[in-house]
Amino acid sequence: MRVEHEIKRAAEAIKAADALLITAGAGMGVDSGLPDFRGTQGFWRSYPVIARLGLSFEEMANPAWFQKDPHLAWAFYGHRLNLYRSTVPHAGFTRVLEMGRPKPYGYFVFTSNVDGHFQKAGFAPECIVECHGSIHHFQCTASCSDEIWDAQGEAVAIEESTFRALEPLPRCRNCPALARPNILMFGDWSWLGHRSERQHERLSRWLDDLARSSARLAVVELGAGTAIPTVRLTSEQVLQRIGGTLIRINPREEDVPSGQIGLPFGAAEGIRRICAWAENLAGDANPRA
Ligand SMILES: [Zn+2]
């Protein structure tokens, strides 16, 4: 079976690697039970009130709402903040962490997810790049300073039936304006990017180190689609630069550059299958399914 052969190749590449880069998109969170915003219908199933307003995800995820209708804006982001706080990351997070931690050059994570779930699952914060920011960090809506602060302790209550956030809404620490999540939104000219830039710089230094040392790299890409291709492009650009093996796990869009490995599974399932093979690599070649 071709797929079984590819899973075995993936397990071997990860076993042989000196370093692991984990790249992740929205599909990684879906397996923890988080909503999929792909396509307007999927988004509206999660947010019936927004469906009644006729707003797409791209229209709702716009910083202008913090001026136009702050109680709606904070209902949307507050609901997600509460959801991401209360959701437990699926077992695949821990499995990937256990793959990366023993490597001589360790691991790094590059994710477009704003849910903070790699940190929650125990990944080292200094080894994570959140390219679209994090819902667990806030900034000022009025750009009074460039401060980004940890949102721990900030609570947002929402009246569920009307989907309105209740007072008091989160405020800036330095001026009377509202706070907003430090997430890169659509049409967003006031997002403060310096936290993510520092993360990018740490990843660049790690990659430089790998290149200098000729370390063998495996890139495990999880649930990253083509609609917003940042994560997929990052996986491929790193490979072009450093070399190594790409393992792309994606239930619908698993196509890969020639010679690389594409596995047509959801994130949790793909990781589980690779682990089942890995546990058997030392012995005979029959995977424990
Ligand atoms: Zn302010």
Side-chain angles (χ1 to χ4, degrees):
M1 289 241 309
R2 172 142 187 90
V3 170
E4 288 301 321
H5 177 71
E6 293 300 284
I7 295 169
K8 180 166 176 280
R9 278 184 66 208
E12 286 169 346
I14 292 168
K15 185 165 185 265
D18 302 316
L20 203 64
L21 175 64
I22 300 128
T23 58
M28 186 63 170
V30 166
D31 287 338
S32 303
L34 296 177
D36 183 1
F37 296 153
R38 214 171 57 95
T40 300
Q41 293 307 321
F43 176 59
W44 283 355
R45 266 193 298 279
S46 303
Y47 294 101
V49 173
I50 299 177
R52 285 202 288 281
L53 296 171
L55 297 169
S56 66
F57 174 66
E58 288 78 3
E59 288 165 331
M60 187 65 239
N62 189 302
W65 288 109
F66 287 93
Q67 263 71 49
K68 275 197 287 192
D69 190 346
H71 295 87
L72 174 64
W74 265 116
F76 179 53
Y77 284 103
H79 174 268
R80 290 173 64 195
L81 175 64
N82 295 338
L83 181 67
Y84 298 161
R85 279 175 172 169
S86 62
T87 302
V88 177
H90 61 76
F93 281 88
T94 308
R95 288 184 162 136
V96 172
L97 178 58
E98 286 168 358
M99 288 175 191
R101 202 151 43 186
K103 297 296 181 195
Y105 291 86
Y107 64 82
F108 232 97
V109 173
F110 181 96
T111 182
S112 59
N113 298 338
V114 299
D115 54 28
H117 275 198
F118 280 98
Q119 288 93 333
K120 195 172 190 177
F123 288 76
E126 65 273 19
C127 300
I128 300 170
V129 180
E130 295 162 299
C131 66
H132 292 168
S134 164
I135 203 163
H136 304 290
H137 291 80
F138 289 176
Q139 64 170 81
C140 179
T141 52
S143 306
C144 73
S145 80
D146 64 357
E147 185 180 357
I148 297 170
W149 64 94
D150 193 318
Q152 202 176 12
E154 302 259 15
V156 186
I158 295 146
E159 163 53 42
E160 293 282 343
S161 59
T162 56
F163 202 62
R164 309 286 295 171
L166 301 171
E167 293 290 345
L169 302 181
R171 293 272 160 195
C172 176
R173 282 183 169 187
N174 305 306
C175 82
L178 280 181
R180 53 162 275 187
N182 180 231
I183 293 176
L184 178 61
M185 304 175 193
F186 293 90
D188 194 351
W189 300 103
S190 53
W191 180 60
L192 296 175
H194 61 80
R195 180 173 172 272
S196 295
E197 281 160 24
R198 295 294 95 73
Q199 296 176 330
H200 276 283
E201 286 163 12
R202 284 194 288 270
L203 172 60
S204 291
R205 285 197 293 273
W206 184 71
L207 292 172
D208 288 345
D209 195 25
L210 297 187
R212 267 195 305 273
S213 318
S214 306
R216 283 169 300 181
L217 176 68
V219 180
V220 179
E221 185 190 277
L222 299 153
T226 52
I228 298 174
T230 317
V231 174
R232 287 170 83 97
L233 290 174
T234 298
S235 305
E236 292 172 13
Q237 284 163 358
V238 167
L239 272 207
Q240 278 167 9
R241 191 182 144 206
I242 310 269
T245 307
L246 169 63
I247 299 145
R248 172 165 283 155
I249 302 174
N250 192 306
R252 286 171 296 268
E253 299 173 302
E254 82 277 17
D255 52 299
V256 280
S258 171
Q260 306 300 340
I261 302 169
L263 300 177
F265 301 111
E269 172 72 3
I271 297 164
R272 193 187 63 75
R273 284 175 180 252
I274 291 171
C275 288
W277 260 110
E279 286 165 19
N280 284 274
L281 276 181
D284 64 33
N286 286 320
R288 208 172 59 195

